């Protein structure tokens, strides 16, 4: 096995067990709710059900990315041990964290010239980002070097698809992704917006679905249209959700019925507290490998 540290940000929205069993190190974003700052620590500081209930009750959390000093404090202990680091970063299209990581790397390279910090801008979010990290962990465990993994990630990261729908527009309105007028009529008409992440790693509205069942149908149709190998897709599929597990399970069931050759069952995770601060409850996100995503 190649000797280097594999790490990512908490916004990969994978369960704690994943990081423990796959030997992936984690650096946490933060959020502030009701005047108190918390680490985005996979539901340990605030359980996910409590977090989303507080939003439903009117709390408006704000988020903060990993800054330069936090990255330095995260990277330096590994460098002191003489280890290289491969850190996969949350999408630069959604956060300035990648720029902070670059500054930290350049600062530390002067002090530790014999060790390398490899940075990959994932252009990914939530458990889609997690799927990319999972792939990197598989490659590491098969003996691939950090350089080989970086090359593969840079070549293939835009093949990772993210599709989201939401049944609750409140947080999207507050965050400016949906206008108040559109949100009012959307709520009245039970419109569920379907969004995806584009080739710049930004979250883009794509279409509007009338009702939850139509949104489920459409999100699975996007996987049929874009998955690598079409209906013969044999890769992994992850789903994340914000306090709407039943909806996530419905999507997972439809995916498993449609794609008979999946690599294992669909993994369902929670949307973490940082991304969930922007989506609020009611969002389901689907992730898989497919064709190159565009604008």
């Amino acid at each position: 096995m190649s000797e280097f540290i594999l790490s990512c940000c908490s916004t990969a929205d994978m369960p704690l067990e994943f990081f423990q069993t796959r030997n992936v190190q984690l650096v946490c974003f933060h959020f502030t709710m009701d005047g108190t700052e918390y680490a985005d620590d996979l539901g340990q500081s605030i359980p996910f059900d409590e977090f989303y209930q507080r939003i439903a009750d009117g709390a408006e959390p704000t988020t903060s990315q990993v800054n330069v000093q936090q990255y330095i404090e995260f990277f330096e202990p590994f460098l002191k041990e003489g280890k290289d680091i491969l850190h996969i970063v949350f999408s630069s299209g959604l956060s300035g964290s990648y720029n902070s990581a670059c500054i930290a790397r350049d600062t530390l390279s002067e002090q530790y010239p014999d060790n390398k910090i490899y940075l990959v801008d994932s252009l990914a979010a939530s458990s889609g980002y997690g799927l990319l990290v999972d792939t990197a962990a598989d490659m590491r465990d098969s003996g691939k070097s950090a350089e080989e993994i970086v090359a593969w990630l840079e070549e293939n990261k835009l093949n990772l698809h993210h599709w989201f729908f939401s049944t609750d527009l409140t947080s999207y309105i507050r965050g400016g992704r949906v206008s108040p007028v559109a949100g009012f009529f959307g709520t009245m008409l039970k419109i569920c917006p379907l969004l995806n992440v584009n080739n710049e790693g930004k979250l883009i509205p794509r279409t509007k679905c009338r009702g939850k069942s139509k949104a489920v149908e459409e999100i699975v149709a996007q996987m049929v249209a874009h998955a690598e190998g079409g209906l013969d897709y044999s890769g992994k599929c992850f789903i994340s959700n914000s306090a709407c597990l039943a909806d996530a399970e419905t999507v997972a069931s439809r995916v498993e019925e449609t794609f008979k050759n999946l690599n294992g069952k669909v993994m369902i995770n929670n949307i973490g507290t940082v991304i969930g601060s922007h989506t609020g409850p009611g969002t389901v996100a689907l992730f898989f490998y497919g064709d190159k995503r565009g604008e």
Side-chain angles (χ1 to χ4, degrees):
M1 185 183 299
S2 301
E3 291 297 328
F4 60 90
I5 298 297
L6 177 62
S7 62
C8 69
C9 308
S10 57
T11 42
D13 288 353
M14 299 293 285
L16 179 61
E17 181 184 15
F18 168 83
F19 296 101
Q20 294 172 334
T21 60
R22 299 308 309 272
N23 191 23
V24 176
Q25 303 299 314
L26 182 70
V27 60
C28 290
F29 276 55
H30 290 77
F31 68 98
T32 299
M33 177 178 269
D34 297 329
T36 302
E37 183 177 77
Y38 303 90
D40 177 36
D41 57 4
L42 316 177
Q44 296 179 88
S45 293
I46 298 181
F48 292 119
D49 55 353
E50 177 186 340
F51 172 78
Y52 286 111
Q53 185 59 55
R54 286 168 69 173
I55 293 179
D57 291 341
E60 297 185 357
T62 58
T63 61
S64 58
Q65 65 192 36
V66 184
N67 61 35
V68 174
Q69 185 58 37
Q70 289 166 336
Y71 268 123
I72 289 174
E73 293 172 358
F74 176 70
F75 290 145
E76 191 165 24
F78 302 122
L79 298 175
K80 285 182 176 179
E81 295 175 359
K83 296 179 179 178
D84 293 340
I85 302 166
L86 168 51
H87 184 69
I88 306 172
V89 193
F90 184 51
S91 174
S92 63
L94 297 170
S95 165
S97 185
Y98 178 71
N99 184 58
S100 295
C102 289
I103 295 171
R105 175 199 60 196
D106 295 345
T107 300
L108 290 168
S109 66
E110 298 176 5
Q111 302 175 51
Y112 302 93
D114 295 331
N115 297 106
K116 295 181 180 179
I117 301 175
Y118 302 91
L119 297 177
V120 176
D121 179 359
S122 68
L123 300 178
S126 195
S127 293
Y129 176 17
L131 182 51
L132 205 65
V133 174
D134 179 72
T135 303
D138 285 342
M139 295 179 70
R140 176 205 58 197
D141 293 350
S142 72
K144 299 294 185 183
S145 68
E147 291 87 350
E148 289 174 310
I149 296 172
V150 169
W152 188 92
L153 292 173
E154 293 294 355
E155 177 66 25
N156 292 278
K157 63 188 180 183
L158 290 182
N159 292 91
L160 182 63
H161 280 255
H162 310 56
W163 290 92
F164 302 72
F165 72 79
S166 182
T167 59
D168 185 336
L169 302 180
T170 305
S171 293
Y172 289 87
I173 296 168
R174 179 166 60 84
R177 287 191 171 88
V178 176
S179 72
V181 173
F184 173 78
F185 285 106
T187 300
M188 293 291 290
L189 297 172
K190 297 184 178 179
I191 297 296
C192 299
L194 186 70
L195 310 90
N196 78 341
V197 171
N198 72 358
N199 60 351
E200 295 180 343
K202 297 178 180 178
L203 188 61
I204 305 295
R206 293 302 184 187
T207 189
K208 299 171 184 176
C209 301
R210 184 76 177 271
K212 186 191 303 183
S213 60
K214 181 62 177 177
V216 171
E217 179 183 320
E218 183 60 28
I219 202 171
V220 176
Q222 292 297 336
M223 186 169 176
V224 171
H226 295 287
E228 182 178 27
L231 294 176
D232 293 324
Y233 178 67
S234 58
K236 293 181 181 179
C237 177
F238 291 175
I239 288 174
S240 57
N241 79 101
S242 55
C244 51
L245 179 59
D247 295 338
E249 290 174 338
T250 297
V251 174
S253 177
R254 289 286 303 276
V255 167
E256 290 170 357
E257 290 170 0
T258 304
F259 297 89
K260 304 297 186 182
N261 299 318
L262 288 175
N263 182 356
K265 301 281 287 183
V266 174
M267 175 185 277
I268 300 177
N269 302 315
N270 290 295
I271 292 177
T273 48
V274 162
I275 294 177
S277 293
H278 300 281
T279 68
T283 292
V284 175
L286 175 67
F287 311 100
F288 57 90
Y289 283 107
D291 53 9
K292 286 277 191 242
R293 64 184 198 247
E295 298 180 4

